[in-house]
Amino acid sequence: YKNYLIGLGANVQEARLMKLEEFEPLGCSIDNRTCSSSQYSWIYSTSYWTGSVFNASVVWIITSNGNLNGNNYAFYDDYGVRPVIKLLKADF
């Protein structure tokens, strides 16, 4: 996606997945493993991988029902991604 945006002329500084700690200011509770109380419905409108790992084979996901779970990346391919795209403010 980064390369696609660059191809459109965007000055992309970074492209990555959201880290677990970035969900808390958006209304998620890491301790309770839920995002369903967030005011931002895009957070739980679909299931996707985060950029945080639980251990060597388990990656945290957000599910479409607002749960925060860990799944083995080798056995689950039915989750999407929501990339974080960083652009320079000066470009706007």
Side-chain angles (χ1 to χ4, degrees):
Y1 191 63
K2 177 182 178 180
N3 291 337
Y4 172 75
L5 293 174
I6 290 171
L8 295 175
N11 186 4
V12 178
Q13 299 300 300
E14 181 181 18
R16 61 175 176 78
L17 299 179
M18 281 183 72
K19 299 171 187 161
L20 206 56
E21 59 271 12
E22 293 176 301
F23 287 97
E24 286 191 296
L26 300 174
C28 297
S29 172
I30 305 307
D31 291 336
N32 294 327
R33 294 186 178 192
T34 183
C35 286
S36 60
S37 60
S38 173
Q39 66 180 0
Y40 305 105
S41 60
W42 63 265
I43 290 177
Y44 52 83
S45 62
T46 189
S47 299
Y48 56 96
W49 299 101
T50 73
S52 295
V53 298
F54 180 76
N55 62 32
S57 60
V58 175
V59 178
W60 288 105
I61 62 162
I62 304 291
T63 65
S64 59
N65 60 1
N67 290 331
L68 176 62
N69 296 325
N71 276 344
N72 187 309
Y73 68 87
F75 300 114
Y76 293 92
D77 61 359
D78 52 348
Y79 301 112
V81 294
R82 288 192 179 271
V84 173
I85 305 295
K86 287 193 173 184
L87 308 169
L88 287 177
K89 187 175 182 177
D91 290 343
F92 294 95

